[in-house]
Amino acid sequence: MATSGLYPQTKVLSRSFDVKDGHTLAVARERGAYQALEKALKMTPAQLVDEVKKSRLRGRGGAGFPTGMKWSFVAKNTGKPTYLVLNADESEPGTFKDRYLMERDPHLVLEGCLITAWAIGASTIFVYIRGEYPRSIARMEKAMEEARAAGLVGKDILGSGFSCEAWVHPGAGAYICGEETGLLESIEGKRGHPRIKPPFPAVEGVFRCPTIINNVETLSHVPWIVLHGGDAFAKQGIAPDPANPRSNGTCGTKLMGVSGQVRTPGVWEFEPGITLRELVYGYGGGPLPGRKIKAVIPGGISMPVLLDHELDAKMGFDELVKAGSGLGTACAIVMDDSCDMVDASVNIAHFFAHESCGQCTPCREGCHWMEKVLHRIADGDGQPSDLDLLEGMFKSIEGRTICALADAAVWPVRSIVRKFRAEFLARMQPAPAPAGA
Amino acid sequence: MTPPTGDERAVTRRDQNQAPARGTRGAGPEGAPPGARKGPAAPAAAAAPTDDVTKVAPPAPGATVRKSAPAAPKPPVPAAFPPPELRAECEALVARYPERQAALIPVLHLAQRRLGGWISPELEAGIAAWLGVPDQHVRGVLTFYTMFNTKPVGRHHVQVCRTLSCWLRGSKDLLGAIERKTGLRPGQTDAERKFTVTEVECLGLCEVAPALFVNDDAHVNLTPAAVEKLLDGCK
Ligand SMILES: Cc1cc2nc3c(=O)[nH]c(=O)nc-3n(C[C@H](O)[C@H](O)[C@H](O)COP(=O)(O)O)c2cc1C
Ligand code: SF4
Ligand code: FES
């Protein structure tokens, strides 16, 4: 519960979440929307890319790639149009932060897109929203309509001479379309089969044209960076580790969520520095009455689980990797001591088996096989050698596929099998009564 | 939490991809693919047995249903697409993209929402012809994305999230309540086409789990009792 002594919230992206009618242009403008766009249109694209590089903004879609650097890769003078694609697929289980942004402050999202489009020279923005978000789709479409009527989208934006169109492209139920190249295929009206890279989308993306793809939360940071400068953004949060020249820190603010077996699930915004424990026990309200926390996945479902005694890591890109997991989408899923970890692993494995697009044999067959073996164990028909079988599968799946879905399937399951080995073995002994939760 | 059993597992994308009879509508594995959001209006009069959605070459009595393509099925007669009431919207969608094919997914959404809740073989062929893409391409897309229905669905399409956060908050109990009320398990539609029940993956409503959709409406923080009440309210 939000009582004193909690790590403080810093509301930048979420500043209008609780404002009445904050999703309308009138209210958004009263609260300062599109001032950053006006300022940005007076800057050169190169200045903007520099400012974002300085900010150390890293992608919020899961991989944490430096945003300014990504923008600088966009192919120039190709004679083809450039596209900006906003990744609003948000199908990662346990993740709902982008939904808050699109439903409650769609003009912030759109402003971030328009500034980015100017910075990379894009003439069209496609906002790819998962089909299961009817309200986000409606709010974003409405925002685009309002902005178009106000001269903020379309020809000669704010009299600057810069023209840019913006459309929503709905998904239709496929986790893999969150993967950036699967998403591009889906915009082209195909099955969402990820592409082999290179060529990277910045060179050859949607409709074979240069394309930049960013997450909703990533681009929602851009207006603030434009108004306050990259240096101010880089001062917030966790600074890069001086001992590691490749570290980029976790700068700015970050939306973080908690769901699963806690008292008060939800989403909040912080300057990174909060620990996973403070997030789960503080804002998340801790375990349900009479329960103890057993395992937590810090970001979505695709990262390894951490045990209760491992929760003191800070919610940062490098910090959680050091702790043996990853920041992912920074929306934690909490399991308490009523949760049977064998069953949880079946649930997770099923998700990935269901969502594999089927292009790569290790993923298509491996995810299914993994699920089947876990099922057998859950049904009480497993043998200790099944755990070795699983270990072998992890090796033959991880790192051998076109996209990272297969790795994402291995990580949580492998961590559960290793950290809760005893539970798996217990399930294998011939039990007199059917195994209970 | 109640342990999941494997019995009601939804058909997966891989099964769809690899179904032995991929080309023959309705001959796929038992149980509908996890389905779509839209589907307010099933064809009013229809009360056909739910699993028979094949307008194409119904198997002759005594024929082996599993074996695909003995006598080549008659291709469906393409529906006239777009119907006048959707023409303007469809044209506007196509105009957004540099290639006609790119409008396929938005057009399928529109067609499903406004033309009966599912994409029939005739409609599929009509859309393919209008966009100028092969029928097989449309088929491939339809079967890849779980929100598109290739069979008629009930007036109330109940889509229950089965993924981790909801499962941890008791989504299995919701399915139990739904089965008690409607007699349906995931993948099934009742004979009157009042309800279709589908298990789906994470709906992005995890902070208010367990969650489900009835058609386009989200219902959250559910208990079995709340679900029973909700279903009672469905007419
Ligand atoms: C299987 C899979 C699913 C993904 N789903 C999403 C998603 O739903 N939303 C998202 O923003 N990124 C998702 N990503 C990451 C994207 O591929 C990509 O890294 C991201 O959109 C880049 O934007 P960013 O640099 O702003 O983070 C996914 C990646 C994989 C491998
Ligand atoms: S790893 Fe899996 S999801 Fe990714 S491209 Fe290969 S088969 Fe498809
Ligand atoms: S897990 Fe059910 S909505 Fe996310």
Side-chain angles (χ1 to χ4, degrees), chain B residues 185-210:
Chain B
R185 298 177 141 220
Q188 296 180 329
T189 302
D190 58 6
E192 294 85 52
R193 292 227 188 105
K194 182 173 178 192
F195 290 109
T196 295
V197 179
T198 314
E199 250 185 330
V200 295
E201 300 297 343
C202 179
L203 295 165
L205 295 165
C206 330
E207 87 282 25
V208 282

Side-chain angles (χ1 to χ4, degrees), chain A residues 151-164:
Chain A
L152 295 158
V153 166
K155 290 228 153 47
D156 190 18
I157 294 171
L158 294 172
S160 64
F162 170 60
S163 299
C164 187

